[in-house]
Amino acid sequence: MYRPPLTLRVLQPFLAVLLVYLVAAFASDPPRKSNGLSDVVQWDNYTLFLRDQRMFLYSGELHTFRLPVPDLWLDIFQKMVAAGLNSVSIYIHWGLTNPAPGELDFDDWRALQPMFDAAALAGIFIVLRPGTHSMHINAETTAGGLALWSTSLVEGDVRANSTTWNAAYQPYVSKIIDLAKPNQVTEGGSMLLMQIDNEYSQTPVSHAEYFADLEAQYRTNGIVVPLTYNDPGQKQQFVNGTGAPDLYGLDFYPNNFNCTNGSLWNPVPTNFHQYHLDTAPDRPFYLPEFQGGSHDYWGGPGYERCRERVGPDFEDVYYKNNWAANAKMQSVYMFYGGTSWGGIPYPGAYTSYDYSGAIKETRLLWEKYDEMKRQGMFLRSSPSFRKTDWIGNTNVTTPGPHVVEFKGKDADKAFATYLRNPDTGTGFTISRQLDGTSVTDISFQLTVPTSQGTLTIPQRAGSITLSGRQSRVILTDYPFGASSSALYSTASVFFAGTIGNRDVLFLYGNSDQAHEAALAFTGHGTRYTSSRVQYTSTHGAYTTISILPHAISGGKGLLTLWDSPTQLVLFADPVIAATFWAPAVRSPTAHTLPGLETFWQFGTNTTVLVGGPYLVRNATLTQERGSTVLALRGDLNASVPLTIVAPEGVRSVTWNGQQVRVRAVGQGTLEGQLTVTPGIHEVIVPKLSGWKYADSLPEVKSGFDDSKWVVADHTSTNITIPPAFGDGRVLYGCDYGFCENNIFWRGHFNATGSEQGANLTINGGTAFAASVWLNDVFLSTVSDISAKGEANAFFAFPPSALKAGSDNVLTVLQDHMGNDEGQNQKSDRGIRGFELVGGVGKFSTWKVQGKLGGYSAYPDKVRGLLNEGGLFAEREGWHLPGFPITSAHFTARDFSSGLPTGRAGVGFFTTTVKLNVPHGVDASYSFEFDGGAPHTGEPYRALLFVNGWQFGKRVGNIGPQARFPVPPGILDHHGTNTIAVALWVMDNVSVHPTLDLVLDGAVEGGVGAIAINNPGWKPRA
């Protein structure tokens, strides 16, 4: 037992802390600003204020439409909150919710209220981004998120101040307003901010006027929270002037999107702070989209390579570099990417939108999540970091003396920025290597100002080491808990706060590096005894704790450096620190804001530390028979030791409703064991067998009746790029209501017998393909993986295929890969040019057929606009659960056998598989083609349908995606599932793809019951 001497020197640090709090209480802030409609949300040049409380906005992006299972939104929200995030940025897809003029569909997974409700339950604010344009590079969605009908039925430019464009988007915005208005934080809801629109230019003036019209519509109809904007790449657009919203934000992706380069990094940005001063110094530095990963592209290296490029080390360096620029509002894109199912993707992206985010597409966590959590917990634990002045950095070109300086052998290789809280005096030295991309280690000492004078640290532990691609926040005069302080720390802070009556500080650092902290211990406590940890009394009552690398002295794991009734100090390496959680415990006080009871800082400041589980979703403290019970809910992926730091009086612990035996250790820590049940090991992965097959290309057979197809006879178009050649008819799918997935064209002509062929230019977007038949004879397939996504070819007619003196049909099956983003959202998808060479010399009629029902009359209103395409099997509903396969001439045929003809064509395979996942287990399944090979070279395309939902497009000769995750709710974990594949073979060869169900992982716990909404087959007209 160690007891510090009770002298004036002991009182000195606490008097200093008291003085700091008194100064802070009376310190003057800069004048706050608001939009004049409400003072609930205000701001100054540092941060946002919510009901007079400063907040560091720490946010991540999620698109609910990429996870069309509303019950799983809470799962993602809870994982975000558990990582320390206090906000989620959400884009609403105009095209999916406004499928046709005058039709607004916010039902089922398109509904907004379940999203708001789940956010309130989890305790996370929403930044709503409903703009009539999509997210970064327009979220890699078809037409950038525009309503597809607006790309063909609306005259003139999109996103301009014109009568036709205003009439197109305003009903959608009005509906957004109606749904969002009661959920604003001003009404006790979770919506904190609303982005007016995204990534645009303030010139010409029509663009600015369009923004002004949008703002006026929001304001006059009741949206009073601040409006924001997202500026791509330091263009200083919509900062002030016409159309400028309340808050300007910078959109930045420093590592770009080429994952082929693997772990290669671009230079770390160095001008952010100056850019903020030059652009919007009167507002917080806001990064509404900062790189949280990278999308991949057709033929790309796959997301595993992307994870190398934008992994946890990227977060460590680049995100803390944003902090060094004094950014106090940051959202990473994406935190959870999800799936671009059906026709959602733009041509440059495939089905998976994993994005290498902190949460994988499978909803599983990985090391990148851990780093986000370490940063998030520090931000949540550090109120003094919410208001800091940028004092300077160690750049040798900065004039004047440097506030902090490096010493030692690698001093010239280190770089630091010094931030200081003007009220508390807390210093934050954000250090990294001068070459932020370096992969070598450096060591140095740091001279910093403190309340005890200028110090060179570490004072006993030798030096500070930074590994390659590592950044660290070095603290001085750091207050924590109710009355504790650290004079300095070269170790990082994972958690700081009050638990019960104890001030708790949880430090962490790499176990192969030395670390040091000077703390003022309180109470009568015990120290950790080990040759790895050395204690020295210095600077009055501060005790210097030097922690040596474990390789030198041993002592790995969680170290309790100080344990007293009033204070607890812990240390661990980053991996162990990331196994701890600090859930917000509902504990209403007089300061709790109505409606925000579950929100950290605004509803509660009560928490516990829980170490060991895969995830802790929430915690409650209740009184039962005179003792306090801590009830924890969360997930396990293995049996683990349990460590709990809880308020005094907690003697009983439950985990997911089951009692856990715990024992007290030290002054208030509890230890126990969490054991997974056998269910986690009993998740069965059945084989896909019993396939049935039917031909799905009657369109090329003699006598096929296309009389009910749409006649393609338009002679004008609103689409930007005009036809290349032809006879004046426009053959663009979007003009006829077919703007997604597979589309058929049939050109009729009465042959003389001397026709030589057809010259066609076909546009389908990047990685498209089109197969062409004359009558029932396959001619050829064309494709293009370039950005243009267009192919011109002459299709020679075999004389034997012609039917002289009668109707002949040229059939084109085209894969529409989605509309472009950016400047060509009105994309020219279809047959841009056509010419019949020889003979009659002209097509008499063109017919077109895509998804049954086009823009508005499609039958599947639950799965929605983009789920289906124009294949015969899709039009008939063969992919839906309950389709009577006996009515469509299905025969037994294994999927790996391919098409029975061994030639080009389209076939349809279907089977069922029964799952019985143990209750209480959250399993992540995927469907894997060809054993996971990125591409096999076989010329086939396959559409994967799971219970009617198109959840995968496989292109065997391009790749890279072979594995397609499907979430519960789409996949029924407790029933029979209908699995179907439309197989398009693009050449006269036999192909032999394989398809297997695979298990990505399983955890015990989960978010609870997941509703199934998979409507079955009904006869279609």
Side-chain angles (χ1 to χ4, degrees):
M1 183 76 68
Y2 172 77
R3 179 177 180 179
L6 291 176
T7 66
L8 183 58
R9 292 194 307 164
V10 174
L11 297 176
Q12 182 182 354
F14 309 112
L15 293 174
V17 170
L18 178 60
L19 180 60
V20 160
Y21 283 114
L22 290 174
V23 170
F26 295 100
S28 61
D29 281 330
R32 296 187 201 174
K33 296 179 174 64
S34 72
N35 55 28
L37 300 172
S38 169
D39 288 334
V40 171
V41 184
Q42 299 174 300
W43 60 90
D44 62 13
N45 59 302
Y46 294 109
T47 65
L48 285 180
F49 288 84
L50 175 58
R51 294 196 183 273
D52 298 321
Q53 294 190 53
R54 283 195 183 278
M55 65 180 299
F56 190 115
L57 186 78
Y58 187 53
S59 179
E61 188 87 17
L62 159 73
H63 300 156
T64 54
F65 63 84
R66 283 186 161 118
L67 184 62
V69 183
D71 286 336
L72 289 178
W73 300 342
L74 179 61
D75 176 56
I76 305 300
F77 291 161
Q78 288 180 336
K79 288 170 179 172
M80 287 177 154
V81 172
L85 275 68
N86 58 11
S87 174
V88 55
S89 175
I90 299 178
Y91 172 60
I92 308 303
H93 197 289
W94 180 25
L96 288 167
T97 54
N98 189 184
E103 294 185 21
L104 293 164
D105 182 1
F106 285 87
D107 296 329
D108 304 303
W109 52 272
R110 295 166 294 273
L112 298 194
Q113 196 56 50
M115 173 190 74
F116 287 121
D117 292 343
L121 184 60
I124 193 167
F125 295 107
I126 288 177
V127 177
L128 196 67
R129 310 212 291 173
T132 48
H133 190 52
S134 189
M135 302 297 110
H136 178 75
I137 317 183
N138 316 317
E140 291 72 50
T141 61
T142 180
L146 298 183
L148 290 175
W149 58 266
S150 75
T151 68
S152 60
L153 303 184
V154 178
E155 299 176 4
D157 293 335
V158 302
R159 301 170 78 204
N161 184 32
S162 67
T163 301
T164 53
W165 183 249
N166 292 346
Y169 79 77
Q170 285 176 349
Y172 163 75
V173 172
S174 293
K175 186 64 174 180
I176 290 288
I177 292 170
D178 291 343
L179 297 172
K181 187 164 55 175
N183 291 285
Q184 298 176 94
V185 290
T186 53
E187 306 298 320
S190 56
M191 192 177 81
L192 179 69
L193 303 171
M194 179 178 279
Q195 182 172 295
I196 187 171
D197 206 326
N198 188 65
E199 296 175 342
Y200 208 36
S201 169
Q202 211 165 357
T203 56
V205 68
S206 61
H207 291 189
E209 290 171 345
Y210 157 63
F211 264 50
D213 287 343
L214 265 176
E215 182 172 354
Q217 186 176 1
Y218 283 126
R219 292 309 189 203
T220 57
N221 290 283
I223 297 299
V224 299
V225 296
L227 298 178
T228 72
Y229 169 66
N230 182 39
D231 188 15
Q234 301 185 7
K235 296 180 180 178
Q236 296 183 317
Q237 297 295 297
F238 295 103
V239 179
N240 298 296
T242 302
D246 300 311
L247 296 173
Y248 168 86
L250 172 63
D251 170 322
F252 209 83
Y253 289 73
N255 250 5
N256 305 123
F257 305 102
N258 186 359
C259 297
T260 303
N261 294 326
S263 59
L264 180 68
W265 279 10
N266 292 331
V268 178
T270 57
N271 71 328
F272 277 1
H273 173 64
Q274 189 61 48
Y275 179 78
H276 177 232
L277 294 181
D278 293 341
T279 305
D282 58 332
R283 285 161 273 185
F285 189 11
Y286 181 23
L287 293 158
E289 270 192 45
F290 194 82
Q291 187 159 19
S294 176
H295 65 84
D296 197 27
Y297 45 86
W298 289 108
Y303 279 112
E304 288 304 321
R305 292 297 302 277
C306 294
R307 291 191 181 99
E308 296 175 21
R309 188 165 169 80
V310 284
D313 52 353
F314 172 85
E315 295 173 316
D316 190 23
V317 173
Y318 286 85
Y319 295 177
K320 290 174 185 174
N321 186 66
N322 295 341
W323 299 358
N326 228 7
K328 304 299 185 190
M329 300 173 66
Q330 173 181 295
S331 185
V332 297
Y333 186 104
M334 302 284 299
F335 194 85
Y336 172 75
T339 305
S340 292
W341 54 279
I344 286 175
Y346 92 125
Y350 47 84
T351 303
S352 175
Y353 203 65
D354 179 272
Y355 216 85
S356 307
I359 302 176
K360 292 184 178 182
E361 183 181 6
T362 57
R363 296 180 299 112
L364 296 172
L365 310 179
W366 64 295
E367 291 85 354
K368 190 170 180 179
Y369 178 90
D370 294 344
E371 175 58 26
M372 286 290 290
K373 181 169 75 168
R374 287 187 288 264
Q375 295 184 22
M377 294 310 300
F378 165 75
L379 294 173
R380 201 187 86 171
S381 299
S382 305
S384 55
F385 194 59
R386 296 173 196 156
K387 179 184 178 182
T388 57
D389 292 322
W390 191 93
I391 305 300
N393 61 35
T394 56
N395 191 329
V396 293
T397 62
T398 303
H402 298 143
V403 178
V404 295
E405 293 184 344
F406 293 108
K407 294 183 178 181
K409 70 181 184 73
D410 295 324
D412 60 336
K413 298 177 182 178
F415 179 84
T417 301
Y418 181 68
L419 308 178
R420 186 176 182 274
N421 185 297
D423 302 330
T424 66
T426 306
F428 301 88
T429 303
I430 301 173
S431 60
R432 60 171 172 84
Q433 297 200 32
L434 183 62
D435 175 7
T437 70
S438 172
V439 295
T440 60
D441 295 355
I442 63 171
S443 296
F444 53 85
Q445 293 84 42
L446 184 68
T447 299
V448 289
T450 76
S451 59
Q452 301 297 309
T454 300
L455 301 178
T456 298
I457 57 176
Q459 300 200 307
R460 300 256 190 297
S463 61
I464 300 168
T465 299
L466 287 179
S467 300
R469 298 184 173 183
Q470 183 184 11
S471 181
R472 192 182 304 179
V473 181
I474 298 169
L475 305 169
T476 53
D477 296 304
Y478 180 78
F480 66 93
S483 59
S484 294
S485 68
L487 179 61
Y488 67 84
S489 176
T490 69
S492 300
V493 169
F494 175 73
F495 173 88
T498 301
I499 297 179
N501 294 324
R502 293 209 289 178
D503 292 344
V504 179
L505 180 66
F506 192 154
L507 301 172
Y508 71 93
N510 288 9
S511 57
D512 59 351
Q513 298 173 355
H515 307 278
E516 190 170 279
L519 307 176
F521 290 155
T522 68
H524 296 188
T526 57
R527 297 171 167 180
Y528 178 76
T529 303
S530 166
S531 59
R532 186 185 176 195
V533 181
Q534 300 173 359
Y535 297 83
T536 308
S537 296
T538 57
H539 308 294
Y542 290 102
T543 298
T544 299
I545 311 167
S546 303
I547 304 168
L548 303 179
H550 76 81
I552 298 174
S553 304
K556 222 177 161 183
L558 179 66
L559 310 181
T560 302
L561 302 178
W562 178 249
D563 187 7
S564 81
T566 58
Q567 200 178 61
L568 177 66
V569 181
L570 303 172
F571 178 87
D573 66 48
V575 174
I576 292 176
T579 66
F580 277 78
W581 310 86
V585 179
R586 291 183 67 153
S587 181
T589 69
H591 303 291
T592 296
L593 299 178
L596 303 182
E597 290 82 2
T598 59
F599 289 69
W600 181 261
Q601 182 182 346
F602 303 97
T604 180
N605 286 312
T606 300
T607 189
V608 294
L609 275 174
V610 183
Y614 178 81
L615 174 69
V616 174
R617 294 180 181 272
N618 51 60
T620 58
L621 291 168
T622 58
Q623 295 296 318
E624 294 184 12
R625 296 178 217 162
S627 65
T628 304
V629 177
L630 173 62
L632 300 170
R633 302 205 70 86
D635 299 354
L636 290 177
N637 63 349
S639 297
V640 293
L642 175 67
T643 303
I644 295 174
V645 179
E648 303 76 11
V650 173
R651 293 292 179 266
S652 178
V653 176
T654 64
W655 174 260
N656 292 339
Q658 300 299 311
Q659 192 73 34
V660 179
R661 181 178 296 177
V662 293
R663 64 186 182 90
V665 179
Q667 299 286 340
T669 301
L670 303 175
E671 291 184 351
Q673 180 77 16
L674 293 178
T675 304
V676 294
T677 62
I680 196 173
H681 303 296
E682 296 172 356
V683 178
I684 296 173
V685 185
K687 289 286 186 183
L688 300 179
S689 59
W691 290 96
K692 302 293 185 180
Y693 168 83
D695 179 74
S696 182
L697 192 63
E699 293 87 352
V700 302
K701 291 183 171 59
S702 176
F704 178 78
D705 181 10
D706 64 10
S707 61
K708 294 183 180 180
W709 285 24
V710 176
V711 177
D713 59 358
H714 292 187
T715 57
S716 63
T717 181
N718 291 317
I719 290 172
T720 307
I721 299 176
F725 58 89
D727 60 11
R729 283 176 285 187
V730 178
L731 305 186
Y732 291 158
C734 295
D735 278 337
Y736 302 97
F738 307 123
C739 213
E740 67 284 301
N741 301 316
N742 292 310
I743 300 172
F744 277 101
W745 302 91
R746 283 169 55 89
H748 293 257
F749 62 96
N750 198 321
T752 66
S754 59
E755 289 77 11
Q756 301 170 27
N759 184 21
L760 301 178
T761 293
I762 306 171
N763 186 291
T766 303
F768 95 102
S771 294
V772 182
W773 288 261
L774 175 62
N775 299 319
D776 62 353
V777 177
F778 173 69
L779 302 181
S780 182
T781 293
V782 294
S783 62
D784 181 21
I785 200 170
S786 76
K788 188 173 184 179
E790 183 172 284
N792 174 264
F794 179 75
F795 297 86
F797 294 166
S800 61
L802 282 168
K803 300 176 181 178
S806 63
D807 183 46
N808 288 251
V809 181
L810 187 72
T811 301
V812 179
L813 169 57
Q814 172 199 354
D815 195 351
H816 186 314
M817 305 298 286
N819 279 21
D820 292 335
E821 300 174 318
Q823 300 303 310
N824 190 35
Q825 290 160 310
K826 291 189 167 189
S827 300
D828 48 333
R829 302 289 182 255
I831 301 177
R832 283 198 61 232
F834 59 92
E835 178 187 19
L836 188 61
V837 179
V840 69
K842 183 179 180 180
F843 292 96
S844 58
T845 305
W846 277 99
K847 294 288 191 74
V848 60
Q849 179 65 60
K851 174 183 80 262
L852 186 66
Y855 285 137
S856 60
Y858 55 92
D860 192 344
K861 298 299 185 183
V862 170
R863 297 176 184 89
L865 176 73
L866 299 180
N867 187 61
E868 296 178 8
L871 295 179
F872 182 80
E874 294 176 284
R875 304 197 308 266
E876 294 293 309
W878 291 1
H879 57 294
L880 297 172
F883 174 77
I885 60 175
T886 55
S887 67
H889 311 293
F890 278 82
T891 58
R893 183 175 182 81
D894 192 74
F895 176 66
S896 64
S897 298
L899 303 188
T901 62
R903 301 178 63 82
V906 181
F908 192 82
F909 294 82
T910 185
T911 188
T912 59
V913 62
K914 189 172 184 178
L915 296 177
N916 187 21
V917 176
H919 288 279
V921 172
D922 184 1
S924 297
Y925 285 104
S926 291
F927 290 83
E928 185 176 76
F929 286 87
D930 302 319
H935 55 82
T936 62
E938 291 191 318
Y940 78 84
R941 293 179 178 232
L943 297 181
L944 170 69
F945 293 91
V946 178
N947 291 323
W949 298 78
Q950 187 195 136
F951 247 73
K953 178 187 284 189
R954 164 71 166 164
V955 181
N957 59 348
I958 296 179
Q961 188 174 6
R963 194 169 183 138
F964 297 84
V966 180
I970 304 299
L971 192 65
D972 187 349
H973 285 194
H974 307 287
T976 300
N977 297 271
T978 298
I979 313 302
V981 181
L983 180 65
W984 170 8
V985 179
M986 298 179 289
D987 205 350
N988 286 331
V989 296
S990 293
V991 301
H992 301 282
T994 63
L995 183 65
D996 297 288
L997 183 66
V998 295
L999 183 66
D1000 297 299
V1003 297
E1004 181 182 284
V1007 75
I1010 308 298
I1012 304 295
N1013 190 12
N1014 300 328
W1017 178 83
K1018 294 180 181 179
R1020 294 183 168 187

